[in-house]
Amino acid sequence: MQASLIIGREQEKARLDKIMSSPQPEFLALYGRRRVGKTYLIRQHLKDSIVFDISGSKEGSKSRQISNFFDEYLVRTQARLETKMPVEWHECFKYLAHYLAQLPPTDKKHVVFLDEMPWLDTPRSGFVSALEFFWNQHLSRMDQVVLIACGSASSWIRKNLINARGGLYNRVTQRIKLMPFNLHETELFLQSMGLQLPKYQILELYMAMGGIPFYLKEIEKGKSVPQLIDEICFSRQGLLSEEYGQLYYSLFRNAKLHIAIIEALAKRPQGLTRTEIAQATKMNESHLTRTLEELEECDFICRYPPFLNLKKEGIFKLTDLYSLFFLKFIQPNQGTAKQVWEQLSKTPSYITWSAYAFENICLQHVDQIKAALGISGVFTQQSSWKFKGNDVLPGAQVDMVIDRADQIIHLCEAKFTKDHYAITQEYADKLRLRKSIFKQATKTKKAIFTTLLTTYPAIKNKYYLEDVDSEISMERLFAF
């Protein structure tokens, strides 16, 4: 990639441009999953405006963090202002305020970028109170300054900044949650590296590593998908062979709890209720609540509300594609011979995993699905539905329900295949029965459509024509 090139992120860049043209001081909270490209976005898009840039060090002591801060301060001021090492954060921010106040006026804003802010906030360091005073006393009066607080620990950002109850209450003026690349952005990213891959192959790679730019940059030109997955995920030198543990321990101070939930959900890709997660992990209520919130904030899991019944528990699903792939394939096969993926992709486990991974991708591309259905302007609610069955009706489950305000419901069925799928009579009977159970169990008066989500368009045989109302193939998921 060219050093100055930012792929995708059009909405985020537009937001940043608007912030930079604001007539008032701005406090931006930027957060999102580790490795998603937050730092790159700021340092590239705003590189000509950054006047102070410091990143927290994982597990660094208070004195180490302050020392790093002061080193940056000396570089930016060329040692012409304060030269005595500060020992408290209040002193650090006092120095920074002095530096900002003496900067010559320009026609553009000055950016103060505090990256990995949760790591700067070491225990009992007084960092948050010092930041609070810095903003309230100094930056809130500097119309030419933008303060950007960035971090991968999204729950820390939300608790201490966005939802703060003390002196920082309602002080954050802007917020951006940076999401992983969707399929369209992933395709653009790979093209920027000179890779022209068919959409099916991009989908295969996406299923293993998700839309994480830091992972995708490991893909090399001239290699097949099995070769790439073998090298990146299964070889001892592969980036993703050891990423799993680092991923959670770098974000959470008690990562064992988070990993316990992730691994419980990985065993049940269809999802678990909160009660079922508590039973599987033996976690107490307070730990469970906090850990679920933190995982959801960082986009590792997602809670899908139950259809039409708010009293029932929602379903939590593991939506981080890399974590699911690691636990299913990488962890059990570490240190094995070469060409691992070529062999694993022929097993029944691959078929099961690929179905859930593709379903996850569809859930993450609801906007593209709505556009393909021609209902982008219609209010919808996405949910899951599970019926245990009773004396009259058998049990049934729909993992993706799109409930439209215009009196239509789509029951979505994801089908990942390497070729055009042919619906059999048995499968058609299953679709028809599920629709009937849904209608009777929910007592809905809305029209119910069966929507097929496929890789390649299904063969339009008589069973397809009788039981499928609409279909969205892989190509439409790659739409902008």
Side-chain angles (χ1 to χ4, degrees):
M1 285 182 61
Q2 300 175 19
S4 62
L5 189 62
I6 298 176
I7 302 302
R9 310 304 194 200
E10 299 305 325
Q11 292 182 349
E12 291 82 2
K13 288 187 288 186
R15 285 281 305 280
L16 289 173
D17 290 341
K18 185 176 181 180
I19 290 169
M20 291 299 289
S21 62
S22 167
Q24 62 188 31
E26 297 285 0
F27 188 169
L28 167 65
L30 173 65
Y31 58 106
R33 182 197 188 280
R34 172 176 150 94
R35 310 290 205 188
V36 82
K38 303 179 297 297
T39 303
Y40 184 83
L41 173 65
I42 297 301
R43 288 181 177 162
Q44 288 300 315
H45 194 62
L46 302 179
K47 60 184 176 182
D48 295 331
S49 299
I50 295 175
V51 297
F52 192 84
D53 182 353
I54 179 66
S55 182
S57 298
K58 175 175 166 50
E59 297 180 352
S61 63
K62 172 185 172 181
S63 59
R64 169 48 57 194
Q65 311 281 7
I66 287 178
S67 177
N68 292 341
F69 187 100
F70 188 56
D71 287 344
E72 168 72 359
Y73 175 82
L74 290 176
V75 170
R76 293 289 180 171
T77 62
Q78 298 179 338
R80 291 186 302 207
L81 298 176
E82 307 290 348
T83 56
K84 179 185 176 183
M85 168 75 79
V87 295
E88 299 291 343
W89 280 113
H90 279 283
E91 292 179 90
C92 292
F93 287 123
K94 181 180 178 181
Y95 286 5
L96 184 52
H98 184 196
Y99 160 59
L100 294 172
Q102 59 81 49
L103 287 174
T106 65
D107 58 355
K108 63 181 181 181
K109 283 185 176 291
H110 300 307
V111 173
V112 175
F113 183 39
L114 304 183
D115 195 15
E116 292 300 355
M117 186 178 278
W119 289 349
L120 293 171
D121 182 32
T122 54
R124 297 177 298 278
S125 66
F127 175 81
V128 173
S129 64
L131 177 69
E132 169 192 317
F133 184 82
F134 176 56
W135 173 262
N136 292 333
Q137 183 67 22
H138 299 290
L139 293 196
S140 62
R141 305 176 186 183
M142 296 181 180
D143 293 342
Q144 80 281 14
V145 173
V146 175
L147 173 62
I148 300 179
C150 180
S152 300
S154 303
S155 56
W156 187 97
I157 296 287
R158 293 192 66 86
K159 177 183 176 182
N160 293 281
L161 301 182
I162 296 173
N163 298 326
R165 296 183 179 181
L168 284 175
Y169 173 75
N170 211 27
R171 295 299 189 267
V172 170
T173 61
Q174 305 286 339
R175 66 187 75 176
I176 295 176
K177 183 174 184 179
L178 199 62
M179 303 296 290
F181 282 157
N182 59 27
L183 286 169
H184 171 73
E185 291 167 324
T186 298
E187 185 174 35
L188 292 179
F189 186 85
L190 295 177
Q191 289 173 353
S192 75
M193 298 193 299
L195 291 152
Q196 300 292 332
L197 298 176
K199 285 180 169 55
Y200 182 83
Q201 292 185 18
I202 296 173
L203 187 63
E204 285 184 290
L205 292 167
Y206 196 92
M207 289 163 67
M209 58 188 72
I212 307 301
F214 191 80
Y215 301 166
L216 294 168
K217 70 178 180 60
E218 296 293 303
I219 297 171
E220 296 180 32
K221 194 174 181 179
K223 296 183 178 180
S224 68
V225 169
Q227 284 178 311
L228 289 167
I229 292 179
D230 264 338
E231 291 180 9
I232 298 170
C233 301
F234 293 97
S235 74
R236 294 188 185 278
Q237 295 76 33
L239 173 68
L240 299 187
S241 66
E242 300 291 340
E243 168 74 1
Y244 178 75
Q246 298 173 22
L247 180 61
Y248 293 98
Y249 281 100
S250 68
L251 286 175
F252 309 114
R253 286 178 178 160
N254 196 358
K256 289 182 180 179
L257 298 178
H258 302 79
I259 291 173
I261 291 177
I262 291 296
E263 295 185 353
L265 290 173
K267 293 174 183 175
R268 288 282 300 276
Q270 296 148 311
L272 295 170
T273 64
R274 178 191 171 93
T275 300
E276 291 169 335
I277 293 171
Q279 292 171 347
T281 62
K282 311 301 182 186
M283 211 174 292
N284 65 43
E285 279 297 308
S286 62
H287 285 160
L288 183 63
T289 298
R290 186 182 71 250
T291 308
L292 286 172
E293 287 176 353
E294 290 176 348
L295 286 170
E296 198 168 2
E297 284 291 350
C298 292
D299 299 310
F300 291 113
I301 67 174
C302 189
R303 179 186 179 275
Y304 294 95
F307 177 75
L308 289 183
N309 194 336
L310 300 179
K311 293 182 180 180
K312 285 189 177 180
E313 291 185 282
I315 298 292
F316 289 91
K317 297 186 72 171
L318 173 57
T319 50
D320 183 66
L321 294 164
Y322 164 67
S323 294
L324 180 61
F325 185 74
F326 177 88
L327 293 168
K328 184 71 175 178
F329 295 112
I330 301 176
Q331 188 179 63
N333 295 283
Q334 286 176 323
T336 53
K338 294 182 179 180
Q339 299 179 321
V340 180
W341 186 239
E342 186 175 335
Q343 300 303 316
L344 291 174
S345 61
K346 298 173 183 176
T347 64
S349 292
Y350 170 84
I351 297 172
T352 303
W353 162 79
S354 61
Y356 288 124
F358 182 59
E359 183 180 283
N360 261 342
I361 291 171
C362 292
L363 288 167
Q364 294 165 15
H365 288 73
V366 170
D367 288 344
Q368 286 79 6
I369 291 172
K370 288 181 60 177
L373 291 170
I375 59 171
S376 293
V378 177
F379 175 77
T380 63
Q381 290 182 308
Q382 286 71 246
S383 61
S384 63
W385 178 76
K386 185 175 183 179
F387 178 64
K388 292 183 179 180
N390 55 30
D391 294 339
V392 178
L393 297 170
Q397 180 168 341
V398 183
D399 292 311
M400 185 176 180
V401 178
I402 301 178
D403 185 10
R404 295 165 47 172
D406 57 354
Q407 302 303 302
I408 292 174
I409 294 173
H410 293 269
L411 306 184
C412 299
E413 179 79 1
K415 207 71 183 172
F416 180 83
T417 57
K418 295 183 177 181
D419 208 338
H420 298 274
Y421 178 66
I423 293 179
T424 62
Q425 181 177 351
E426 181 183 2
Y427 188 68
D429 291 343
K430 175 187 171 183
L431 293 177
R432 195 179 313 115
L433 176 62
R434 189 182 66 169
K435 182 190 285 189
S436 178
I437 295 171
F438 181 88
K439 189 166 187 176
Q440 293 181 60
T442 62
K443 296 181 172 53
T444 181
K445 301 299 182 183
K446 293 186 177 183
I448 302 174
F449 292 165
T450 293
T451 298
L452 207 57
L453 309 174
T454 59
T455 43
Y456 298 103
I459 295 171
K460 293 179 174 53
N461 58 23
K462 68 172 186 176
Y463 303 117
Y464 177 100
L465 297 173
E466 288 173 359
D467 290 290
V468 175
D469 299 292
S470 55
E471 180 186 3
I472 297 161
S473 62
M474 170 180 61
E475 293 278 340
R476 304 302 294 268
L477 299 180
F478 280 80
F480 175 68

